[in-house]
Amino acid sequence: MPRLDHLPPFEMQFPVKPEEIDEYDHVSNLVYLRWTLRAAAAHSAAVGWTTERYRSLGQGWLVRSHKITYRRPALLGDEILMRTWVGDFERFSSVRHYRIFRAQDEVLLATAETNWVFVDLNSQQLARIPVEVQSAFGFVPQDETTSS
């Protein structure tokens, strides 16, 4: 396994949009899932691994599973702060973690994890995660990831 450098979690911030509000006047559960996917793609692009680069490699990430734990609702007018990082790399898979906060006061709204698998885009078969992909993401020490 390559030596991975210590990197801070990736952060992005965005407002809650009116179309993300459900019939109970808070952000729909499905929106949190979209936010995690958007954050994963933004983080990957920020470290140099855009969709186009994965396509040129002929390999990329597919979701195996998601887990989201909701703690407090996000509401219209809230600004969202998303922190995400890759927790580990296995031979063909990786777990990405997310913490979703209300930016104004950093109240934790939700936590999430996605188990991603690396695949050959033509055959859809599992592919070994290349060293250059692993090393681009670095690692986040456990004590920096548990804040709530």
Side-chain angles (χ1 to χ4, degrees):
M1 178 149 166
R3 181 184 165 277
L4 299 180
D5 293 325
H6 170 205
L7 297 174
F10 176 80
E11 291 189 0
M12 60 187 289
Q13 199 166 322
F14 48 89
V16 171
K17 298 175 186 167
E19 61 270 20
E20 296 173 326
I21 302 300
D22 67 13
E23 64 275 11
Y24 299 111
D25 295 325
H26 57 69
V27 171
S28 166
N29 295 342
L30 291 175
V31 171
Y32 285 83
L33 180 58
R34 280 191 291 253
W35 288 347
T36 62
L37 296 174
R38 188 168 84 191
H43 183 202
S44 190
V47 299
W49 283 95
T50 62
T51 301
E52 295 77 21
R53 187 169 179 197
Y54 286 117
R55 285 185 192 272
S56 70
L57 181 66
Q59 298 175 320
W61 297 102
L62 293 179
V63 171
R64 178 175 279 167
S65 64
H66 291 289
K67 176 184 175 187
I68 301 175
T69 302
Y70 304 97
R71 294 178 171 227
R72 290 200 160 71
L75 307 171
L76 188 60
D78 284 345
E79 188 77 14
I80 301 302
L81 171 63
M82 171 82 74
R83 291 188 180 124
T84 185
W85 64 95
V86 176
D88 67 2
F89 288 100
E90 300 288 331
R91 191 167 159 194
F92 305 111
S93 66
S94 179
V95 175
R96 174 178 286 280
H97 302 272
Y98 313 84
R99 297 290 181 271
I100 304 168
F101 299 90
R102 186 172 51 226
Q104 297 90 315
D105 52 12
E106 291 209 25
V107 166
L108 183 63
L109 304 177
T111 60
E113 284 184 5
T114 303
N115 186 328
W116 295 87
V117 292
F118 207 71
V119 298
D120 178 283
L121 296 175
N122 291 319
S123 70
Q124 298 296 301
Q125 297 297 312
L126 294 175
R128 185 181 296 271
I129 302 168
V131 170
E132 60 268 25
V133 171
Q134 291 182 40
S135 59
F137 289 96
F139 78 98
V140 177
Q142 188 62 27
D143 60 344
E144 291 185 26
T145 64
T146 56
S147 61
S148 50

